[in-house]
Amino acid sequence: MGAADVVPGVSGGTVAFITGIYEELINSLKSIDVEAIRLLTQFQIADFWKKINGSFLITVLGGIVTSLISLARLMTYLLDNHPILIWSFFFGLILVSSPLILRDVTKWSLGSVLSFIAGIIIAYLITIISPTETPTNYPFIFFCGALAICAMILPGISGAFILLLIGKYEYMITALTEMNIPVVIVFVLGCFLGLLGFSRFLSWILTHYRFPTLALLGGFMIGSLNKVWPWKQVISFRLNHEGVQVPAFDKSILPWDYFSKTGQDPLVFKAILCAALGVFLVVAIEKTAAMLKTKS
């Protein structure tokens, strides 16, 4: 999940759904409430730990943090030097993930169909919005953390891409890699509070409107494929916070138009192999998770 959350366009929630831990994660986060805080303040540590499913949460969140810190530089390098291959990999990963979610919609109604279509449209529109410039003060960084974490736990909606849209993706990657502790702490606090609030809403909506919600999430994944399409043509540039010119807005183009418009090799065969690897990885993870659940 941490590796996915580093990449704009890929959601950690997608990985959680693939591995079968999504609803347990949401319900565990929801259990951190007033009663849990009361147990903690009364030093009933064992009861507190059991109530919030602490062993599960600390393992997942520890893995996310470790991955964010260790893979931030690697993902930046891959996106800068091998963009077609890394985007192809994630395209395959997301493409096969949507049917896995939709498979759980065992009863399709008009509401579920409309939710699926709405998910596709909403996610697609998000992918074509141009990034903007925003402030770097602590209150706004806190807001960015709360907003991004809500997207991160939604399959198909990338928290990293939301940060990119509001002009804070590179800023937060730099803060992580350079260990800018005050900025990271403020961002994490925003994430924590946003996560506690949004997990309650997700748990409620999955309980009361399960099939339309799953259809919506599947639609999010399909709509987000435009963002991870490997072949892009840059339309405009902007200056980042370091004064370096970077792409501001691009559009998806067909691989056979890529060479004529960019002068670069589209690497079609390698891209197909990387996409196939993404598909294989998802299927392997899903099968392994199902097998482990059966054994337990």
Side-chain angles (χ1 to χ4, degrees), residues 82-89 230-231 258 264-268 271 274:
H82 304 284
I84 291 178
L85 302 185
I86 193 67
W87 287 125
S88 296
F89 171 77
W231 298 279
Y258 186 77
Q264 299 177 14
D265 187 345
L267 303 172
V268 175
C274 288

Side-chain angles (χ1 to χ4, degrees), residues 177-194:
T177 55
E178 296 181 356
M179 296 303 291
N180 187 335
I181 303 301
V183 170
V184 172
I185 289 176
V186 171
F187 183 81
V188 168
L189 285 175
C191 289
F192 179 72
L193 292 180

